[in-house]
Amino acid sequence: MNPDIMKERQNATFNIEKLTNILDGGPEKTKRRREIESMVLSDPDFQEEDQNFLSRSERYDQAVRKSAQMILKLREYGIADPEEIYIYKKMAQGNCHEAMGLHFVMFLPTLHNLADPQQSKKWLPPAESFQAVGTYAQTEMGHGTHLRGLETTATYDPATQEFVLNSPTVSSIKWWPGGLGKTSNHAIVLAQLYTQGNCHGLHAFIVPIRDMNTHKPLPGIVVGDIGPKFGFHEVDNGFLKLENVRIPRENMLMKYAKVEPDGTYMKPPSTKLTYGTMVFIRSLIVGESALALSKSCTIAIRYSTVRHQSELRPGEPEPQILDYQTQQYKLFPLLATAYAFTFVGKYMRETYHRISGDIHQGDFSELPELHALSAGLKAFTTWAATSGIEVCRMSCGGHGYSCSSAFPDIYVNFTPTCTYEGENTVMMLQTARYLVKSYRQVKAGQQLSGLVSYLNEPKQRIQPQTVAARPTVVDINDLASLVEVYKQRAAILVELAAKSIQQELQHRKSQEDAWNNSSVDLVRASDAHCHYVVVKLFTDSLGEIGDIMIHSVLSTLALLYALHGIKNNSGDFLEAGLLNVPQVHQTSVRIKELLNQLRPNAVALVDAFDLHDKKLKSVLGRYDGNVYENMFEWARRSPLNATEVHESFHKYLKPLRAKL
């Protein structure tokens, strides 16, 4: 064990194991998680070559092998609980993605959510036994987040009781679905439904794409891999062109919407039900943001304790770079963010499952808020995590560029979350649409519930000219007071966005132009709403923590998260009259004090994430802190070092010398 990192752990003011238990949901869950992770660690089938030294084809081959092994092992061990399956897979995958990931997170959930009883009986057994391996084909070459613009058509033919699916244009070719290129033999295809001469919008269809025995593409199916990408090297993201592909009427998922044999269309109780799987994924992504940022903070903070550089005082030994305030200012707010997102991710999982249960009972009342919240938080957390990963990488200096650090894999495999399941700016605008609608309901005399209930309350905005002289009424050391300030900021920015639209309409702009001309304000309002939700949920979670020392350190993190957010958005708080200039200055001073308070617990706080070295796969972030020895060993395993003299010397360099 590196003596620097050992000393850090000895200086911790709280019990690391107890905090790990809190993050896991209790000691028994921690114990069970570690048991499951040990199954992977001790399994020789998962002892693999470093993926950084493999070609893309080799990485895909290894990923498919691993997916097949995971399925068999999970059955062998009798692991059926979704959370435990997730733990097992995350341990086996490390910082990479599963080749069959969309089968589990989109194909199967869509069947469960949208198939009627007869379809469930037909399709779930082959899907759950992996005879039918599926993906979710929504995005097209020309359209992604704008779902209404998707061009793929499914036209009902009552004479044969079949749907005819077509890709009518080049831009309508399905593009990007994971597992589509080479792995899947079925796809849930989202297409515009046409029946009796009318278009009824997007609906989901089960489309066989490959022969279940030979795996060759079926007639009318043009399918393949889209090529190398920015990350996701082990996943066969694919294309799908449909040329008059006929499927039975029963292949349209008809739990809610239906097409009768004669072509009569019966609409669903809510159009948002078609997108239920996306809401599920967006809810999961909040937790993925927490995990990616937790990994990055763990690597950067551990490395910052064993890396010594420069001089604080002439003639003294080089200090740990974590002792520099600038390094703390980079990393500790991100650590606070990782903890905030961890608690918010837990809330989103619980909320999704609760509301899903209501939906299955026929209660759709909370679906609009869940849709808006999952869209906004998906964008808010992925933007923050993506930029945070990069800050962590750069805080590790030159070694952060090496794949041995794990940062390249973490970054390139996480950053697509800003785009898939809805491009982030569009997601923020979806949330804004719900916020503006809620604001107008309040103006019409309705009372709101849920996380938008703050719009019921009167705004405490004052005139800008009185801001500088305003007495200090906000206690920046009190989290409840800060939650209130964030709430007021959100309410004011929602009101400003709604009024911007109204002003545009008064200038005889169309609704569409008014919306577009106000879109910057709308995104700003959504961001403020999401920021308020995160600060509130992080603060609320502290009330469930009984251990005094853990409560103290998490309260410090929550305070740092809230104050750092104020510092970065001080213009909003000043313009709204919620804080004055002296208070903003005081915030900066307090942040530096909090950095100093957190310094002794930094390593302990990342240790509490309990990320095993095999899961981190980072030389810089090793638990034992022995970075340099292992970095040298890692480099020596490079394929370029397989021979002392590379063949290029004999082929090109030596002949070049002879010719000059």
Side-chain angles (χ1 to χ4, degrees):
M1 187 74 68
N2 179 287
D4 286 323
I5 209 162
M6 189 157 42
K7 184 180 177 183
E8 295 289 334
R9 293 184 175 117
Q10 291 168 351
N11 289 338
T13 64
F14 65 92
N15 186 305
I16 297 172
E17 182 71 7
K18 286 184 179 179
L19 179 50
T20 299
N21 295 160
I22 290 169
L23 297 177
D24 283 332
E28 288 304 314
K29 288 202 171 183
T30 298
K31 181 183 176 185
R32 179 58 177 158
R33 173 179 57 77
R34 288 173 177 164
E35 286 174 355
I36 293 168
E37 290 177 347
S38 294
M39 294 175 188
V40 178
L41 292 171
S42 61
D43 193 331
D45 287 337
F46 292 114
Q47 307 305 311
E48 61 194 25
E49 188 177 347
D50 192 313
Q51 292 199 337
N52 291 296
F53 299 141
L54 301 178
S55 68
R56 180 166 179 246
S57 182
E58 289 170 331
R59 288 182 75 151
Y60 169 68
D61 182 270
Q62 184 170 278
V64 176
R65 174 181 62 81
K66 193 184 289 185
S67 284
Q69 286 175 336
M70 284 192 289
I71 291 164
L72 296 173
K73 302 283 183 181
L74 288 167
R75 287 188 176 180
E76 178 186 339
Y77 296 136
I79 297 175
D81 179 79
E83 282 192 25
E84 294 191 352
I85 291 172
Y86 176 82
I87 291 166
Y88 188 93
K89 288 185 174 182
K90 279 295 176 185
M91 192 66 206
Q93 291 161 15
N95 295 323
C96 299
H97 288 273
E98 184 181 2
M100 293 172 58
L102 260 67
H103 177 87
F104 295 100
V105 300
M106 298 206 77
F107 187 71
L108 279 171
T110 302
L111 291 178
H112 280 289
N113 290 334
L114 296 182
D116 66 23
Q118 292 76 21
Q119 291 172 323
S120 296
K121 188 175 180 181
K122 176 181 178 181
W123 289 105
L124 284 175
E128 289 172 345
S129 63
F130 304 98
Q131 296 173 54
V133 177
T135 185
Y136 189 86
Q138 173 178 291
T139 300
E140 297 172 357
M141 194 186 294
H143 287 92
T145 305
H146 179 53
L147 299 182
R148 289 193 300 275
L150 295 176
E151 300 174 81
T152 303
T153 60
T155 306
Y156 184 65
D157 181 357
T160 60
Q161 294 196 23
E162 293 174 316
F163 288 100
V164 184
L165 277 84
N166 268 302
S167 305
T169 63
V170 172
S171 57
S172 71
I173 296 171
K174 295 295 181 183
W175 201 267
W176 282 112
L180 176 61
K182 295 294 177 184
T183 309
S184 301
N185 55 27
H186 284 74
I188 289 173
V189 174
L190 263 70
Q192 302 287 357
L193 167 63
Y194 286 85
T195 180
Q196 296 180 339
N198 297 312
C199 178
H200 296 284
L202 282 184
H203 290 72
F205 302 84
I206 303 172
V207 182
I209 57 175
R210 292 180 180 270
D211 186 278
M212 292 177 72
N213 293 315
T214 67
H215 207 59
K216 290 184 177 179
L218 294 170
I221 299 289
V222 181
V223 64
D225 178 78
I226 65 170
K229 309 163 293 288
F230 187 65
F232 277 66
H233 304 297
E234 56 283 333
V235 179
D236 57 324
N237 296 82
F239 60 78
L240 174 65
K241 187 172 185 288
L242 300 157
E243 299 175 337
N244 293 312
V245 175
R246 287 182 170 265
I247 58 173
R249 181 181 68 89
E250 293 79 10
N251 280 31
M252 172 183 158
L253 291 172
M254 293 201 228
K255 183 174 184 178
Y256 299 111
K258 292 181 174 61
V259 172
E260 300 291 356
D262 66 354
T264 302
Y265 175 73
M266 299 175 64
K267 67 179 182 180
S270 171
T271 56
K272 289 183 172 62
L273 290 167
T274 305
Y275 314 129
T277 306
M278 285 189 299
V279 173
F280 168 63
I281 300 299
R282 289 169 190 164
S283 299
L284 285 182
I285 287 173
V286 176
E288 291 297 306
S289 299
L291 178 59
L293 200 49
S294 298
K295 285 182 174 181
S296 301
C297 288
T298 299
I299 296 166
I301 287 174
R302 284 180 180 170
Y303 177 66
S304 295
T305 65
V306 301
R307 179 76 173 187
H308 291 251
Q309 192 152 304
S310 302
E311 293 180 337
L312 272 175
R313 299 174 187 85
E316 291 189 4
E318 292 182 298
Q320 297 163 285
I321 59 174
L322 198 60
D323 286 338
Y324 290 100
Q325 189 183 73
T326 50
Q327 189 78 343
Q328 296 168 15
Y329 192 77
K330 291 176 190 174
L331 298 178
F332 292 176
L334 292 175
L335 177 60
T337 304
Y339 268 89
F341 289 178
T342 298
F343 289 112
V344 174
K346 179 183 177 185
Y347 172 87
M348 286 302 296
R349 287 194 303 275
E350 293 172 351
T351 301
Y352 174 81
H353 290 304
R354 176 178 61 79
I355 295 177
S356 290
D358 294 341
I359 290 170
H360 287 302
Q361 298 298 318
D363 179 1
F364 305 107
S365 60
E366 290 191 79
L367 182 58
E369 181 170 5
L370 176 62
H371 183 269
L373 184 63
S374 64
L377 284 178
K378 179 265 185 188
F380 184 83
T381 59
T382 57
W383 268 333
T386 298
S387 62
I389 294 165
E390 182 66 353
V391 169
C392 287
R393 183 192 65 75
M394 288 191 290
S395 75
C396 292
H399 293 323
Y401 284 89
S402 171
C403 286
S404 68
S405 71
F407 283 123
D409 270 340
I410 294 172
Y411 185 79
V412 300
N413 287 317
F414 182 78
T415 193
T417 58
C418 293
T419 304
Y420 67 59
E421 304 313 317
E423 192 277 330
N424 276 1
T425 300
V426 179
M427 291 298 93
M428 283 297 198
L429 289 170
Q430 284 191 12
T431 302
R433 196 172 296 278
Y434 178 75
L435 293 173
V436 170
K437 181 180 178 182
S438 299
Y439 172 82
R440 289 172 176 168
Q441 287 173 335
V442 169
K443 286 296 182 183
Q446 296 183 41
Q447 282 290 109
L448 303 176
S449 59
L451 287 170
V452 291
S453 60
Y454 64 84
L455 294 174
N456 296 325
E457 303 171 16
K459 316 299 179 296
Q460 295 180 6
R461 194 181 189 201
I462 62 174
Q463 294 303 313
Q465 61 265 28
T466 67
V467 171
R470 186 184 182 195
T472 300
V473 294
V474 177
D475 182 356
I476 65 166
N477 291 300
D478 178 55
L479 279 167
S481 184
L482 294 177
V483 170
E484 183 64 27
V485 170
Y486 271 92
K487 179 201 293 185
Q488 289 293 327
R489 171 201 179 209
I492 289 166
L493 289 181
V494 170
E495 182 177 59
L496 286 174
K499 287 182 175 179
S500 173
I501 295 172
Q502 195 59 39
Q503 288 167 1
E504 291 288 332
L505 290 173
Q506 288 171 359
H507 288 94
R508 299 184 179 178
K509 299 283 178 63
S510 67
Q511 282 282 355
E512 293 77 14
D513 286 339
W515 181 267
N516 184 47
N517 291 345
S518 306
S519 57
V520 171
D521 295 327
L522 289 162
V523 170
R524 201 169 148 219
S526 288
D527 183 80
H529 171 73
C530 292
H531 212 157
Y532 156 67
V533 168
V534 174
V535 172
K536 173 181 165 51
L537 293 178
F538 193 4
T539 301
D540 288 350
S541 68
L542 299 175
E544 302 170 11
I545 297 168
D547 185 288
I548 296 174
M549 300 310 294
I550 292 175
H551 188 279
S552 174
V553 73
L554 289 186
S555 295
T556 303
L557 278 175
L559 189 58
L560 176 60
Y561 179 78
L563 293 179
H564 192 260
I566 287 174
K567 179 63 180 172
N568 285 348
N569 299 278
S570 57
D572 286 352
F573 294 94
L574 289 170
E575 285 179 27
L578 298 170
L579 295 173
N580 56 33
V581 173
Q583 287 173 317
V584 172
H585 175 70
Q586 188 183 358
T587 296
S588 298
V589 174
R590 188 70 180 110
I591 286 172
K592 288 186 279 189
E593 293 172 352
L594 294 173
L595 299 179
N596 193 49
Q597 285 179 36
L598 286 168
R599 172 65 185 87
N601 284 312
V603 169
L605 283 164
V606 296
D607 282 355
F609 293 132
D610 204 25
L611 296 164
H612 195 282
D613 282 350
K614 294 288 186 182
K615 192 171 183 178
L616 270 183
K617 295 191 174 181
S618 170
V619 173
L620 299 190
R622 291 174 59 90
Y623 183 82
D624 62 14
N626 295 323
V627 171
Y628 301 129
E629 309 93 314
N630 287 283
M631 185 181 294
F632 184 53
E633 288 304 314
W634 183 88
R636 295 185 69 177
R637 293 200 301 273
S638 169
L640 281 178
N641 295 325
T643 59
E644 289 295 337
V645 179
H646 193 265
E647 60 182 352
S648 62
F649 172 78
H650 299 288
K651 289 164 63 178
Y652 311 116
L653 296 179
K654 193 173 182 180
L656 177 64
R657 284 193 312 198
K659 293 176 181 178
L660 293 177

